């Protein structure tokens, strides 16, 4: 009887350990998060209206799911790009740039950190890769990828959970990262 209780207890402990690992698959790049919210992004004037709407929807996803105005998207556009200079300039830019064939990143985020807080974030959209706004199978979805990159701007790293928005890769035509997963929100609440 004692052996049976010990075995059951061990199985319960193993199950709880595995369940807790699966529940918290997120990682954190900057535990201090954004210094001053909301973080106002200004996008490059090369984006079409549909892509600007996708940017707006991506920012709203984080704002709505966290009940906090974390991001805003400036109605005024700019001719500035952060790539290849990638230097702190006081503007949170969403740039539309051709990083070429050798840079396999579809999008990338660079955060500028001071005293463990994000003080500026720039997102580069690599237009070498094909983009669309409707989940077409031969294109990367702007809103899908940008919702992920905004997670980096919050201080989140990549998740091991394949269903999470912060999972490290995206497929052509993928739209599931448009909506935040519980793991993404757990990461957000761990920081904020």
């Amino acid at each position: 009887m004692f052996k049976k209780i010990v075995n059951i207890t061990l199985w319960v402990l193993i199950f709880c350990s595995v369940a807790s690992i699966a529940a918290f698959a997120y990682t954190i790049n900057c535990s201090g998060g954004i210094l001053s919210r909301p973080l106002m992004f200004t996008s490059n004037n090369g984006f079409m209206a549909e892509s600007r709407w996708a940017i707006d929807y991506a920012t709203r996803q984080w704002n709505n799911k966290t009940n906090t105005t974390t991001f805003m998207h400036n109605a005024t556009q700019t001719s500035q790009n952060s790539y290849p200079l990638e230097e702190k300039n006081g503007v949170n830019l969403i740039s539309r740039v051709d990083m070429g064939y050798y840079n396999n990143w579809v999008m990338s985020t660079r955060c500028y950190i001071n005293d463990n807080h994000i003080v500026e974030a720039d997102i580069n959209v690599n237009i070498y890769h094909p983009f669309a706004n409707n989940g077409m199978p031969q294109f990367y979805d702007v809103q899908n990828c940008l919702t992920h990159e905004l997670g980096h701007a919050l201080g989140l790293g990549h998740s091991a959970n394949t269903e999470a928005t912060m999972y490290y890769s995206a497929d052509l035509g993928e739209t599931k990262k448009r909506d935040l997963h519980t793991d993404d929100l757990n990461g957000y609440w761990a920081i904020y």
Side-chain angles (χ1 to χ4, degrees):
M1 181 67 172
F2 177 74
K3 187 175 180 180
K4 185 175 183 179
I5 292 172
V6 171
N7 283 338
I8 291 171
T9 304
L10 286 174
W11 280 112
V12 169
L13 288 173
I14 290 169
F15 174 78
C16 289
S17 297
V18 171
S20 67
I21 290 169
F24 298 108
Y26 63 84
T27 60
I28 295 174
N29 288 342
C30 180
S31 61
I34 298 170
L35 179 63
S36 178
R37 292 186 283 175
L39 197 62
M40 172 68 79
F41 278 98
T42 302
S43 56
N44 178 272
N45 57 16
F47 286 106
M48 298 182 313
E50 284 181 343
S51 294
R52 289 183 46 75
W53 295 332
I55 294 167
D56 287 341
Y57 291 135
T59 61
R60 288 182 198 151
Q61 181 65 211
W62 284 102
N63 294 345
N64 292 343
K65 294 288 176 133
T66 61
N67 294 316
T68 307
T69 305
T70 302
F71 297 118
M72 293 184 74
H73 183 212
N74 197 338
T76 304
Q77 294 175 290
T78 182
S79 60
Q80 287 182 289
N81 274 322
S82 63
Y83 183 86
L85 299 176
E86 293 188 350
E87 59 188 32
K88 185 173 175 258
N89 63 359
V91 180
N92 303 296
L93 291 170
I94 300 177
S95 299
R96 186 181 179 277
V97 296
D98 188 342
M99 295 181 197
Y101 172 78
Y102 294 104
N103 187 331
N104 63 358
W105 289 354
V106 174
M107 291 187 188
S108 64
T109 300
R110 175 159 182 152
C111 293
Y112 299 90
I113 298 172
N114 187 12
D115 291 331
N116 197 36
H117 289 287
I118 297 168
V119 294
E120 182 181 324
D122 295 327
I123 297 173
N124 294 312
V125 178
N126 186 358
I127 61 170
Y128 176 81
H129 299 287
F131 280 97
N133 298 293
N134 54 7
M136 291 176 58
Q138 64 271 36
F139 296 92
Y140 289 101
D141 186 80
V142 174
Q143 184 182 345
N144 184 74
C145 296
L146 200 59
T147 304
H148 171 93
E149 293 305 321
L150 289 170
H152 290 311
L154 287 167
L156 292 172
H158 287 137
S159 174
N161 186 321
T162 59
E163 297 303 309
T165 296
M166 295 310 297
Y167 186 67
Y168 74 92
S169 70
D171 294 323
L172 293 169
E174 180 185 89
T175 59
K176 69 182 177 183
K177 288 185 177 79
R178 287 179 171 192
D179 296 315
L180 299 179
H181 185 272
T182 304
D183 190 62
D184 306 309
L185 294 170
N186 286 339
Y188 176 88
W189 292 118
I191 297 172
Y192 299 96

